[in-house]
Amino acid sequence: MEQKKFYITTPIYYPSDKLHIGHTYCTVAADAMARYKRLTGCDVMFLTGTDEHGQKIETKAKEAGVTPKEFVDKIVDGEKGVRDLWKLMNISNDRFIRTTDDYHVEAVQKIFRKMYEKGDIYKGTYKGKYCTPCESFWTESQLVDGKCPDCGREVKDAEEEAYFFRLSKYADRVQHLLEDTDFLQPRTRVNEMVNNFIKPGLDDLCVSRTSFNWGIPVDFDPGHVVYVWVDALFNYTTALGFLNEKYHDYDKYWPADVHFVGKEIVRFHSIIWPAMLMSMEMPLPKHVYGHGWLVMDGGKMSKSKGNVVDPYILAEKFGVDALRFFLLRTFPFGTDGNFSNELLINTINIDLANDLGNLVSRTTAMVEKYFDGKLPTEREDTDGDCELKKLASTLRERYEKQMEAFQFQNGLEEIFKVIDRANKYIDENTPWALAKDESKKVRLATVMYNLLETIRICTVLLLPFIPQSCEKIFDQIGACEGCRTWDGADKWGSLCADVSVHKGEAIFPRVDAEKALEELNAIQEAQKKAALPALEVEPYVEENVDFDTFLKSDFRAVKIKSCEAVKKSDKLLKFVLDDGSGTDRVILSGIHKYYEPEELVGKTAVAILNLPPRKMMGIPSCGMLISAVHKEKGEEKLHLLLLDDAVPAGAKLC
Ligand code: ME8
C-alpha cells in the first residue's frame, strides 16, 4: 500500500521582533500534528519559515541603522532568533523557508509574470487607505471607526500606480469553496469571511508597491515590488520546488493537507490564496485552520504593551515539554485563550506532576520494591480489571478522532481520562496490601502489568505533545521499540510479560507555585516597565494666559539658608530662604523623595513669591519652589530648578 502523504505548514513569521509565546503556540500545534501523522505512518512534510519583505521591515532596519537583510538575518539566524526558538521547542520541521532565499525570489517573479500574462494581473492606479504596520490596503467600507480593521491603528490615504490582481473574478468560486466545502475550519470562521468580505463585493487586490524598495522586484517593471502577501503566500509551494530547482517535492506533497494560521490572517488564506491558486490553475490546499489567539488580560500580546510572554524564560523554568503540553492542553485550538502564569503552573502541577508523573513514579517504584524491578509472567485477572483495560485499549480510536479534527485539547482530555482511571485503579487494588500476602503475588503482578500497559498506551499517544518526556517514560517502564508505536497503541498486552522497569528521577517535578509566580510576575513587571516610553513630559497646556496676568507672577532667585524634613511627613521639606527682602521666607515643598535636606543648603533656587500663604502640617508656606518634572520609564523624576550661585537673592526672573 502506498504510504499516505501529509503536508502541513505554519504561517511564515515576520522577523520584525523576537517571537513570543503566541507565535510559539501555532508552531507547537503544527509540530504536534506533524508528529502525530508521522506516528500513524504518514510521509510528512512540515514547513515553517520567515516572511522577510515589506515596508515594516524596511522601516525597522532603517531605525536600527542596518540594511533590511542584516536586520532580518539577526532575528532569524542570530542568537535566540527564530531558528533557535524552534530548536529549543523541539520543532520537527522538515524545511525552513526564508522569503529572501534566491529560489523563492525567482519563483515569485515567474508566478507574478504568469498571472500578468494570463490577464489576471493588470496595471492601474491605487487610491485607498493603507495601514503601514499591517501592510494592508483597505477600502473605506472595510475600515472600523475609520481605522484598520485588523489592528485598530490609523490608516493613511495612499495613491500610487500599481498592479492589481483580478480577485473579483474569483469571488463566486471562493464563496462556493467556503460555504460548500470543509476547506476553512473551524466552521465558525466561514460566516465571518463570507459576510464581511465576499458579500459586500470583492474588489481587485493591489499587488505591487512603488513607495518602498524592500520586496521582490517585478522583473518586467522596475520600480514595482511584489505585494508582500503575494510573495509570502506562495512560500507554501516554492518551498516544495514550484518553479524553482532548489527542491523537487512539489508533485509529491502539493496540495497541502492543512495550513495552520492565526485568525487575523484567515482572510488572506481563505480568500486571496485560493483565488490566486485558481488563477495559476493549481490545486487548492485541502484545509485552512484558523486558530485563536493567546491573549493576556483579554488583549492581544504586543511588545508595545509590554505583555508579551517570552517562551525562552518559560521553557528554561519549566521545561520544553511542560510548555508544549500547557499550550495544547489548556486552550481549545479554534478560540482565544487567556494566558496566565497561574494557569501554566496549575496545569504542570495537576496534569503532569500529579496525574501522569505520579502514576509513572508510583507504578515503577512498586515494581522495583515488590519484584526487584522485573515482573513475573503469571497473571490473575479479575472482572474489576476490564474497565481499565477496555478504556486503555480503545483510547487510540477516540484520540484519533479528535486529532484528525485538530482538536488537540480533546485528544489530550481522552488520554487524561485514562490516566485518572489508572490512578483510581491503584487506590482500588491497594497493591501495598497485596504485597503483604505472599499468596497474592500473582494478583499483584497482574495489577502492576495492567498499570504499565496503560501507561505505555498513553505514552505512545502523548508522543506528539511531549516527545522527550515520553522517551524517558518508555525507558522507565521498560517498553521495547515495537511497543512504542502507533500499531502497538491499540494492542493490549504488547509489553513483554516479564518486563523490567527502571525507576528514574521524577519526570515532571512539582513546581513551587508561590516562588515561581513571584519570579514570573517580577519579570513581567520589569518588561511592562521597559515598554513604557523612555521619556514623558507633562501634557502641554492648550489654554493661553494673557500677558498681563503672566507679568503679575513674581519669580525670584532665592538662597537656601536652611532646609529640614517636616516632622511626621514623608514628603515635605521646610526651606528657610533669603529672598533679598531682608526678612526670611519659609516655603514648604513636597520633594523629600528626591533630595536630602543637607544637599540643598547654600544653593540658589527659583520661587514664585506672590502666591497666597498656604498651611501645610500647621506651618504656613509663603510661595512655591519651581522644579522641572517628567517621567522616565513611568517613574516620576523631579529636578529643583537651581541657578548659578552668582545670581543674587531677590533677582527677578522675567
Ligand atoms: O502574519 N496568539 O506573520 P506574524 C496566537 N507573515 N497566535 C499569534 C499571536 C498570539 N498572541 N500573535 C501572533 C504574519 N500570532 C505573516 C504570515 S503566512 C503566508 C504570512 C500568530 O509573524 C498570528 O496569528 O505577524 C499568525 O498566524 C502568526 O503568529 C504569524 O504572525
Side-chain angles (χ1 to χ4, degrees), residues 11-14 20 22-23 51 229 232 236 262 264-265 291-294:
I12 48 172
Y13 296 86
Y14 279 125
H20 55 67
H23 302 111
D51 171 13
W229 270 104
Y236 301 131
E264 86 284 18
I265 57 172
H291 66 79
W293 284 343
L294 287 192

Side-chain angles (χ1 to χ4, degrees), residues 217-438:
V218 174
D219 58 358
F220 54 87
D221 195 348
H224 287 261
V225 294
V226 176
Y227 176 39
V228 69
W229 270 104
V230 175
D231 160 1
L233 285 162
F234 275 98
N235 93 85
Y236 301 131
T237 62
T238 61
L240 297 178
F242 182 66
L243 294 183
N244 69 77
E245 286 302 315
K246 168 94 176 166
Y247 297 111
H248 301 93
D249 313 296
Y250 176 75
D251 290 334
K252 185 169 172 193
Y253 292 111
W254 190 256
D257 290 271
V258 65
H259 298 308
F260 277 2
V261 301
K263 63 179 186 180
E264 86 284 18
I265 57 172
V266 164
R267 180 173 77 95
F268 296 96
H269 284 83
S270 67
I271 297 177
I272 296 170
W273 180 223
M276 286 195 303
L277 289 169
M278 287 169 190
S279 167
M280 290 290 291
E281 293 166 35
M282 290 160 75
L284 304 183
K286 292 179 200 148
H287 303 293
V288 167
Y289 193 98
H291 66 79
W293 284 343
L294 287 192
V295 297
M296 277 282 264
D297 311 319
K300 198 179 180 202
M301 287 181 196
S302 88
K303 200 171 172 214
S304 59
K305 285 194 225 159
N307 67 353
V308 290
V309 177
D310 185 345
Y312 276 99
I313 294 176
L314 298 184
E316 196 181 311
K317 273 203 163 331
F318 305 112
V320 170
D321 275 356
L323 184 55
R324 290 172 58 105
F325 176 83
F326 162 72
L327 291 173
L328 300 177
R329 165 75 165 141
T330 315
F331 311 110
F333 194 43
T335 54
D336 287 355
N338 209 343
F339 177 93
S340 77
N341 295 325
E342 286 84 348
L343 209 50
L344 168 62
I345 294 167
N346 275 345
T347 308
I348 295 174
N349 279 347
I350 295 172
D351 287 341
L352 293 180
N354 263 11
D355 294 350
L356 174 61
N358 263 346
L359 177 65
V360 176
S361 63
R362 283 163 92 193
T363 306
T364 50
M366 288 190 284
V367 177
E368 286 212 329
K369 186 169 170 199
Y370 304 139
F371 299 101
D372 285 334
K374 191 172 171 74
L375 278 190
T377 51
E378 282 159 281
R379 298 284 176 265
E380 184 188 316
D381 278 297
T382 66
D383 288 348
D385 297 340
C386 290
E387 191 192 332
L388 178 68
K389 280 163 103 174
K390 185 155 178 243
L391 207 59
S393 55
T394 55
L395 171 61
R396 197 185 86 174
E397 197 183 322
R398 294 189 300 281
Y399 163 91
E400 185 177 11
K401 200 164 145 218
Q402 299 297 343
M403 294 297 281
E404 290 295 325
F406 314 117
Q407 296 303 306
F408 304 104
Q409 192 192 33
N410 295 347
L412 284 166
E413 180 60 27
E414 292 297 342
I415 299 175
F416 274 77
K417 276 187 203 156
V418 179
I419 290 172
D420 278 353
R421 186 66 195 85
N423 275 316
K424 222 167 106 201
Y425 179 82
I426 297 183
D427 299 338
E428 288 163 358
N429 285 282
T430 56
W432 46 90
L434 295 175
K436 286 189 188 137
D437 184 343
E438 199 47 40

